Amino acid sequence: EPEVTQTPSHQVTQMGQEVILRCVPISNHLYFYWYRQILGQKVEFLVSFYNNEISEKSEIFDDQFSVERPDGSNFTLKIRSTKLEDSAMYFCASSEGHSKDEQYFGPGTRLTVT
Amino acid sequence: QKEVEQNSGPLSVPEGAIASLNCTYSDRGSQSFFWYRQYSGKSPELIMFIYSNGDKEDGRFTAQLNKASQYVSLLIRDSQPSDSATYLCAVSPTDKLIFGTGTRLQVFP
């Protein structure tokens, strides 16, 4: 069964460094998303991406963040200058067609900022 | 005001019983409703979705939607210890999913 994959599974970085989190959505899906979950808190929406552009973003998704689909398979989240409070699980998700379709999540990347 | 509300639990049920999980939401324009299961340290796993008022059954799971009351529920019949997890209600008024904080379910033998 097709699934969303994410790399790395765990990333440790120092405050102020840039990180890139990578995702491979399900191949026939058209909508891509990033969410994050701080330990013990709820899953929060960051950004949605369709047709090579951002379709919606949350207040969390400020200038520090960017997304890109550099080729036909990868979808990346870049955090430019990491802060301690960026430590969280970051989940990529994708959906097939209509933006309100079911979203399938990848296994996540645990980001630890020290 | 919270957008999606769930009782955090834990909800403890004996093996074989019916577990009933509830969720309310505030955005009346929401069109799509989802239940995800999340085991500790893992990602959300989609288990049910519902778009229309009424009941939708899939195996041991039944989702119920009442848009007038802005209420979604999930019933798990014949609960098993492997069902022990946090159940996340999610609502989609636009592209994004808005999640509740989740209800922790414990099924004891």
Side-chain angles (χ1 to χ4, degrees), chain B residues 40-52:
Chain B
S40 181
K42 302 295 185 183
S43 63
E45 176 193 5
L46 180 65
I47 54 173
M48 286 290 288
F49 56 91
I50 186 166
Y51 302 137
S52 305

PDB file of all heavy atoms in Angstrom, chain B residues 40-52:
ATOM      1  N   SER B  40       1.498   6.263  20.916  1.00  0.00           N
ATOM      2  CA  SER B  40       2.536   7.114  21.518  1.00  0.00           C
ATOM      3  C   SER B  40       3.800   7.118  20.657  1.00  0.00           C
ATOM      4  O   SER B  40       4.339   6.064  20.299  1.00  0.00           O
ATOM      5  CB  SER B  40       2.853   6.601  22.925  1.00  0.00           C
ATOM      6  OG  SER B  40       3.836   7.406  23.533  1.00  0.00           O
ATOM      7  N   GLY B  41       4.248   8.308  20.294  1.00  0.00           N
ATOM      8  CA  GLY B  41       5.470   8.450  19.507  1.00  0.00           C
ATOM      9  C   GLY B  41       5.318   8.195  18.022  1.00  0.00           C
ATOM     10  O   GLY B  41       6.307   8.213  17.283  1.00  0.00           O
ATOM     11  N   LYS B  42       4.083   7.950  17.597  1.00  0.00           N
ATOM     12  CA  LYS B  42       3.833   7.652  16.178  1.00  0.00           C
ATOM     13  C   LYS B  42       3.014   8.755  15.536  1.00  0.00           C
ATOM     14  O   LYS B  42       2.564   9.683  16.183  1.00  0.00           O
ATOM     15  CB  LYS B  42       3.093   6.309  16.049  1.00  0.00           C
ATOM     16  CG  LYS B  42       3.829   5.138  16.663  1.00  0.00           C
ATOM     17  CD  LYS B  42       5.127   4.856  15.926  1.00  0.00           C
ATOM     18  CE  LYS B  42       5.795   3.601  16.480  1.00  0.00           C
ATOM     19  NZ  LYS B  42       7.103   3.348  15.815  1.00  0.00           N
ATOM     20  N   SER B  43       2.823   8.620  14.236  1.00  0.00           N
ATOM     21  CA  SER B  43       2.062   9.624  13.499  1.00  0.00           C
ATOM     22  C   SER B  43       0.573   9.293  13.520  1.00  0.00           C
ATOM     23  O   SER B  43       0.182   8.144  13.771  1.00  0.00           O
ATOM     24  CB  SER B  43       2.568   9.706  12.062  1.00  0.00           C
ATOM     25  OG  SER B  43       2.362   8.489  11.383  1.00  0.00           O
ATOM     26  N   PRO B  44      -0.275  10.275  13.225  1.00  0.00           N
ATOM     27  CA  PRO B  44      -1.720  10.008  13.150  1.00  0.00           C
ATOM     28  C   PRO B  44      -2.027   9.057  12.000  1.00  0.00           C
ATOM     29  O   PRO B  44      -1.514   9.211  10.887  1.00  0.00           O
ATOM     30  CB  PRO B  44      -2.315  11.395  12.885  1.00  0.00           C
ATOM     31  CG  PRO B  44      -1.293  12.362  13.392  1.00  0.00           C
ATOM     32  CD  PRO B  44       0.021  11.712  13.114  1.00  0.00           C
ATOM     33  N   GLU B  45      -2.885   8.105  12.268  1.00  0.00           N
ATOM     34  CA  GLU B  45      -3.312   7.103  11.294  1.00  0.00           C
ATOM     35  C   GLU B  45      -4.804   7.281  11.062  1.00  0.00           C
ATOM     36  O   GLU B  45      -5.597   7.194  12.006  1.00  0.00           O
ATOM     37  CB  GLU B  45      -3.024   5.701  11.838  1.00  0.00           C
ATOM     38  CG  GLU B  45      -3.513   4.568  10.965  1.00  0.00           C
ATOM     39  CD  GLU B  45      -3.474   3.235  11.708  1.00  0.00           C
ATOM     40  OE1 GLU B  45      -3.157   3.210  12.915  1.00  0.00           O
ATOM     41  OE2 GLU B  45      -3.801   2.221  11.081  1.00  0.00           O
ATOM     42  N   LEU B  46      -5.192   7.508   9.825  1.00  0.00           N
ATOM     43  CA  LEU B  46      -6.602   7.729   9.503  1.00  0.00           C
ATOM     44  C   LEU B  46      -7.397   6.440   9.686  1.00  0.00           C
ATOM     45  O   LEU B  46      -7.040   5.396   9.138  1.00  0.00           O
ATOM     46  CB  LEU B  46      -6.724   8.217   8.062  1.00  0.00           C
ATOM     47  CG  LEU B  46      -8.131   8.502   7.558  1.00  0.00           C
ATOM     48  CD1 LEU B  46      -8.749   9.674   8.314  1.00  0.00           C
ATOM     49  CD2 LEU B  46      -8.123   8.795   6.066  1.00  0.00           C
ATOM     50  N   ILE B  47      -8.471   6.521  10.477  1.00  0.00           N
ATOM     51  CA  ILE B  47      -9.306   5.336  10.639  1.00  0.00           C
ATOM     52  C   ILE B  47     -10.724   5.526  10.118  1.00  0.00           C
ATOM     53  O   ILE B  47     -11.366   4.557   9.709  1.00  0.00           O
ATOM     54  CB  ILE B  47      -9.335   4.844  12.105  1.00  0.00           C
ATOM     55  CG1 ILE B  47      -9.748   5.953  13.069  1.00  0.00           C
ATOM     56  CG2 ILE B  47      -7.996   4.251  12.504  1.00  0.00           C
ATOM     57  CD1 ILE B  47      -9.952   5.460  14.483  1.00  0.00           C
ATOM     58  N   MET B  48     -11.231   6.758  10.119  1.00  0.00           N
ATOM     59  CA  MET B  48     -12.583   6.981   9.623  1.00  0.00           C
ATOM     60  C   MET B  48     -12.698   8.402   9.092  1.00  0.00           C
ATOM     61  O   MET B  48     -12.056   9.318   9.604  1.00  0.00           O
ATOM     62  CB  MET B  48     -13.631   6.815  10.738  1.00  0.00           C
ATOM     63  CG  MET B  48     -13.903   5.391  11.157  1.00  0.00           C
ATOM     64  SD  MET B  48     -14.777   4.439   9.917  1.00  0.00           S
ATOM     65  CE  MET B  48     -16.412   5.158  10.015  1.00  0.00           C
ATOM     66  N   PHE B  49     -13.559   8.574   8.093  1.00  0.00           N
ATOM     67  CA  PHE B  49     -13.920   9.912   7.650  1.00  0.00           C
ATOM     68  C   PHE B  49     -15.404   9.919   7.346  1.00  0.00           C
ATOM     69  O   PHE B  49     -15.993   8.887   6.985  1.00  0.00           O
ATOM     70  CB  PHE B  49     -13.099  10.349   6.442  1.00  0.00           C
ATOM     71  CG  PHE B  49     -13.189   9.418   5.261  1.00  0.00           C
ATOM     72  CD1 PHE B  49     -14.152   9.596   4.288  1.00  0.00           C
ATOM     73  CD2 PHE B  49     -12.289   8.371   5.125  1.00  0.00           C
ATOM     74  CE1 PHE B  49     -14.222   8.744   3.204  1.00  0.00           C
ATOM     75  CE2 PHE B  49     -12.350   7.515   4.040  1.00  0.00           C
ATOM     76  CZ  PHE B  49     -13.321   7.698   3.070  1.00  0.00           C
ATOM     77  N   ILE B  50     -16.010  11.083   7.515  1.00  0.00           N
ATOM     78  CA  ILE B  50     -17.438  11.215   7.284  1.00  0.00           C
ATOM     79  C   ILE B  50     -17.717  12.608   6.777  1.00  0.00           C
ATOM     80  O   ILE B  50     -17.130  13.590   7.263  1.00  0.00           O
ATOM     81  CB  ILE B  50     -18.232  10.870   8.574  1.00  0.00           C
ATOM     82  CG1 ILE B  50     -19.734  10.860   8.312  1.00  0.00           C
ATOM     83  CG2 ILE B  50     -17.874  11.810   9.723  1.00  0.00           C
ATOM     84  CD1 ILE B  50     -20.552  10.210   9.434  1.00  0.00           C
ATOM     85  N   TYR B  51     -18.603  12.695   5.785  1.00  0.00           N
ATOM     86  CA  TYR B  51     -18.904  13.981   5.176  1.00  0.00           C
ATOM     87  C   TYR B  51     -20.375  14.383   5.334  1.00  0.00           C
ATOM     88  O   TYR B  51     -20.713  15.561   5.240  1.00  0.00           O
ATOM     89  CB  TYR B  51     -18.561  13.960   3.682  1.00  0.00           C
ATOM     90  CG  TYR B  51     -17.119  13.622   3.370  1.00  0.00           C
ATOM     91  CD1 TYR B  51     -16.810  12.742   2.341  1.00  0.00           C
ATOM     92  CD2 TYR B  51     -16.072  14.180   4.097  1.00  0.00           C
ATOM     93  CE1 TYR B  51     -15.493  12.429   2.047  1.00  0.00           C
ATOM     94  CE2 TYR B  51     -14.753  13.876   3.805  1.00  0.00           C
ATOM     95  CZ  TYR B  51     -14.471  12.999   2.783  1.00  0.00           C
ATOM     96  OH  TYR B  51     -13.161  12.693   2.489  1.00  0.00           O
ATOM     97  N   SER B  52     -21.252  13.382   5.541  1.00  0.00           N
ATOM     98  CA  SER B  52     -22.689  13.646   5.586  1.00  0.00           C
ATOM     99  C   SER B  52     -23.247  13.317   6.957  1.00  0.00           C
ATOM    100  O   SER B  52     -22.724  12.453   7.663  1.00  0.00           O
ATOM    101  CB  SER B  52     -23.410  12.789   4.544  1.00  0.00           C
ATOM    102  OG  SER B  52     -22.875  12.999   3.267  1.00  0.00           O
TER     103      SER B  52
END
